[in-house]
Amino acid sequence: MEFLVDTEEMAQDVSKVLDDVKDVRSDLALVANGQTIQLSHDVSRLLLNVLDALNRGTRISISSTPQEVSANTAAEMLGVSRPTFLKWAKAQGTRFNRIGNQKRFLTEDVLKLRDIQRAKKIKAFEALRRELDALQ
């Protein structure tokens, strides 16, 4: 699904909705045909982010992710090569299913692996920063 704010009037409408919802901690509700539907916190945040992006004139694409992905797809998701992904997956004991000779990884495990790698990068950066601060 793609959304594009292509008129000033549409951008003003999106801006008004964002102004009406000042507190991002609050959850949203939709009213359709007289029926109110409470949205979860995660869905509320997603919609607010979409509305904010539309307000800025950004094109939005929303897609679903399959439960399992190939090693190539997982590597693309993490922005690394296939061998690097497989090395990381092996080191973390990431589970996989075999379909023929292809390994299929659970998307949630790939995203956890991404978070682990990000945490390592942040930790390394902070250590380097402390070393640089100590030199000054």
Short mmCIF file of all heavy atoms in Angstrom, two decimals, residues 15-40:
data_model
loop_
_atom_site.label_atom_id
_atom_site.label_comp_id
_atom_site.label_asym_id
_atom_site.label_seq_id
_atom_site.Cartn_x
_atom_site.Cartn_y
_atom_site.Cartn_z
N SER A 15 -1.59 17.37 9.04
CA SER A 15 -1.02 18.20 10.08
C SER A 15 -2.02 18.44 11.21
O SER A 15 -1.65 18.40 12.39
CB SER A 15 -0.56 19.53 9.49
OG SER A 15 0.04 20.32 10.47
N LYS A 16 -3.28 18.66 10.87
CA LYS A 16 -4.31 18.88 11.89
C LYS A 16 -4.48 17.65 12.77
O LYS A 16 -4.57 17.76 13.99
CB LYS A 16 -5.64 19.26 11.24
CG LYS A 16 -6.72 19.53 12.28
CD LYS A 16 -8.00 19.99 11.66
CE LYS A 16 -9.12 20.24 12.64
NZ LYS A 16 -8.98 19.82 13.99
N VAL A 17 -4.48 16.47 12.16
CA VAL A 17 -4.60 15.23 12.94
C VAL A 17 -3.43 15.11 13.89
O VAL A 17 -3.59 14.79 15.07
CB VAL A 17 -4.69 13.99 12.02
CG1 VAL A 17 -4.55 12.71 12.82
CG2 VAL A 17 -6.00 13.99 11.25
N LEU A 18 -2.23 15.41 13.41
CA LEU A 18 -1.05 15.33 14.28
C LEU A 18 -1.13 16.34 15.42
O LEU A 18 -0.75 16.04 16.55
CB LEU A 18 0.23 15.55 13.46
CG LEU A 18 0.61 14.40 12.54
CD1 LEU A 18 1.79 14.81 11.67
CD2 LEU A 18 0.92 13.15 13.31
N ASP A 19 -1.61 17.54 15.12
CA ASP A 19 -1.75 18.55 16.17
C ASP A 19 -2.78 18.14 17.21
O ASP A 19 -2.64 18.45 18.39
CB ASP A 19 -2.13 19.91 15.58
CG ASP A 19 -0.98 20.56 14.84
OD1 ASP A 19 0.18 20.15 15.06
OD2 ASP A 19 -1.25 21.46 14.03
N ASP A 20 -3.82 17.45 16.77
CA ASP A 20 -4.88 17.01 17.68
C ASP A 20 -4.39 15.91 18.62
O ASP A 20 -4.93 15.70 19.69
CB ASP A 20 -6.10 16.51 16.91
CG ASP A 20 -6.85 17.65 16.23
OD1 ASP A 20 -6.60 18.81 16.59
OD2 ASP A 20 -7.67 17.36 15.34
N VAL A 21 -3.36 15.19 18.20
CA VAL A 21 -2.83 14.09 19.01
C VAL A 21 -1.45 14.51 19.50
O VAL A 21 -0.44 14.17 18.93
CB VAL A 21 -2.74 12.78 18.18
CG1 VAL A 21 -2.29 11.63 19.06
CG2 VAL A 21 -4.07 12.46 17.53
N LYS A 22 -1.43 15.28 20.57
CA LYS A 22 -0.17 15.82 21.08
C LYS A 22 0.66 14.78 21.81
O LYS A 22 1.87 14.76 21.71
CB LYS A 22 -0.45 16.98 22.03
CG LYS A 22 -1.16 18.14 21.40
CD LYS A 22 -0.22 18.97 20.62
CE LYS A 22 -0.94 20.23 20.16
NZ LYS A 22 -0.47 20.76 18.95
N ASP A 23 0.02 13.90 22.56
CA ASP A 23 0.73 12.96 23.43
C ASP A 23 0.89 11.63 22.72
O ASP A 23 -0.07 10.90 22.55
CB ASP A 23 -0.05 12.78 24.73
CG ASP A 23 0.73 11.99 25.76
OD1 ASP A 23 1.82 11.48 25.44
OD2 ASP A 23 0.23 11.87 26.89
N VAL A 24 2.14 11.30 22.28
CA VAL A 24 2.35 10.05 21.55
C VAL A 24 2.21 8.82 22.44
O VAL A 24 2.19 7.71 21.96
CB VAL A 24 3.73 10.03 20.85
CG1 VAL A 24 3.82 11.08 19.79
CG2 VAL A 24 4.85 10.14 21.86
N ARG A 25 2.11 9.04 23.75
CA ARG A 25 1.90 7.90 24.65
C ARG A 25 0.45 7.44 24.64
O ARG A 25 0.13 6.34 25.06
CB ARG A 25 2.31 8.26 26.08
CG ARG A 25 3.81 8.48 26.21
CD ARG A 25 4.12 9.03 27.55
NE ARG A 25 3.50 10.35 27.64
CZ ARG A 25 3.48 11.10 28.72
NH1 ARG A 25 4.05 10.69 29.80
NH2 ARG A 25 2.91 12.28 28.72
N SER A 26 -0.43 8.30 24.17
CA SER A 26 -1.84 7.93 24.18
C SER A 26 -2.15 7.04 22.98
O SER A 26 -1.51 7.11 21.95
CB SER A 26 -2.72 9.17 24.15
OG SER A 26 -2.41 9.96 23.04
N ASP A 27 -3.13 6.18 23.16
CA ASP A 27 -3.55 5.29 22.09
C ASP A 27 -4.68 5.94 21.31
O ASP A 27 -5.42 6.76 21.82
CB ASP A 27 -4.01 3.94 22.67
CG ASP A 27 -2.86 3.18 23.32
OD1 ASP A 27 -1.70 3.43 22.94
OD2 ASP A 27 -3.12 2.35 24.19
N LEU A 28 -4.78 5.55 20.07
CA LEU A 28 -5.80 6.12 19.19
C LEU A 28 -7.01 5.19 19.11
O LEU A 28 -6.93 4.02 19.43
CB LEU A 28 -5.22 6.28 17.77
CG LEU A 28 -4.00 7.18 17.63
CD1 LEU A 28 -3.51 7.16 16.19
CD2 LEU A 28 -4.32 8.59 18.05
N ALA A 29 -8.09 5.76 18.64
CA ALA A 29 -9.30 4.98 18.38
C ALA A 29 -9.84 5.42 17.03
O ALA A 29 -9.72 6.59 16.66
CB ALA A 29 -10.34 5.19 19.47
N LEU A 30 -10.38 4.49 16.29
CA LEU A 30 -11.02 4.81 15.02
C LEU A 30 -12.52 4.74 15.19
O LEU A 30 -13.03 3.86 15.89
CB LEU A 30 -10.61 3.79 13.94
CG LEU A 30 -9.16 3.80 13.49
CD1 LEU A 30 -8.93 2.69 12.47
CD2 LEU A 30 -8.80 5.15 12.88
N VAL A 31 -13.21 5.65 14.56
CA VAL A 31 -14.67 5.62 14.57
C VAL A 31 -15.11 5.40 13.14
O VAL A 31 -14.81 6.21 12.26
CB VAL A 31 -15.27 6.92 15.14
CG1 VAL A 31 -16.78 6.87 15.09
CG2 VAL A 31 -14.77 7.17 16.55
N ALA A 32 -15.77 4.28 12.89
CA ALA A 32 -16.25 3.94 11.55
C ALA A 32 -17.68 3.45 11.65
O ALA A 32 -17.97 2.54 12.43
CB ALA A 32 -15.35 2.88 10.93
N ASN A 33 -18.55 4.07 10.89
CA ASN A 33 -19.97 3.69 10.89
C ASN A 33 -20.56 3.68 12.30
O ASN A 33 -21.30 2.78 12.69
CB ASN A 33 -20.17 2.32 10.24
CG ASN A 33 -19.77 2.32 8.78
OD1 ASN A 33 -19.92 3.32 8.09
ND2 ASN A 33 -19.25 1.20 8.32
N GLY A 34 -20.17 4.66 13.10
CA GLY A 34 -20.69 4.78 14.45
C GLY A 34 -20.09 3.83 15.45
O GLY A 34 -20.45 3.83 16.62
N GLN A 35 -19.15 2.99 15.02
CA GLN A 35 -18.52 2.03 15.93
C GLN A 35 -17.09 2.49 16.23
O GLN A 35 -16.34 2.85 15.32
CB GLN A 35 -18.50 0.64 15.29
CG GLN A 35 -17.92 -0.43 16.17
CD GLN A 35 -17.94 -1.80 15.47
OE1 GLN A 35 -18.24 -1.91 14.30
NE2 GLN A 35 -17.61 -2.82 16.22
N THR A 36 -16.73 2.48 17.52
CA THR A 36 -15.39 2.89 17.93
C THR A 36 -14.51 1.66 18.10
O THR A 36 -14.88 0.70 18.76
CB THR A 36 -15.44 3.67 19.27
OG1 THR A 36 -16.29 4.81 19.08
CG2 THR A 36 -14.06 4.11 19.71
N ILE A 37 -13.34 1.74 17.49
CA ILE A 37 -12.38 0.64 17.57
C ILE A 37 -11.11 1.18 18.23
O ILE A 37 -10.47 2.08 17.71
CB ILE A 37 -12.04 0.09 16.17
CG1 ILE A 37 -13.31 -0.37 15.46
CG2 ILE A 37 -11.02 -1.03 16.26
CD1 ILE A 37 -13.11 -0.60 13.97
N GLN A 38 -10.80 0.65 19.42
CA GLN A 38 -9.58 1.05 20.12
C GLN A 38 -8.38 0.39 19.44
O GLN A 38 -8.41 -0.81 19.16
CB GLN A 38 -9.63 0.62 21.58
CG GLN A 38 -10.58 1.41 22.45
CD GLN A 38 -10.22 2.87 22.54
OE1 GLN A 38 -11.06 3.70 22.31
NE2 GLN A 38 -9.00 3.21 22.87
N LEU A 39 -7.34 1.16 19.18
CA LEU A 39 -6.14 0.63 18.56
C LEU A 39 -5.08 0.38 19.63
O LEU A 39 -4.98 1.13 20.60
CB LEU A 39 -5.61 1.61 17.52
CG LEU A 39 -6.57 1.96 16.38
CD1 LEU A 39 -5.94 2.99 15.47
CD2 LEU A 39 -6.96 0.72 15.61
N SER A 40 -4.29 -0.65 19.43
CA SER A 40 -3.22 -0.96 20.38
C SER A 40 -2.18 0.16 20.34
O SER A 40 -2.14 0.96 19.40
CB SER A 40 -2.57 -2.29 20.03
OG SER A 40 -1.80 -2.17 18.84
#
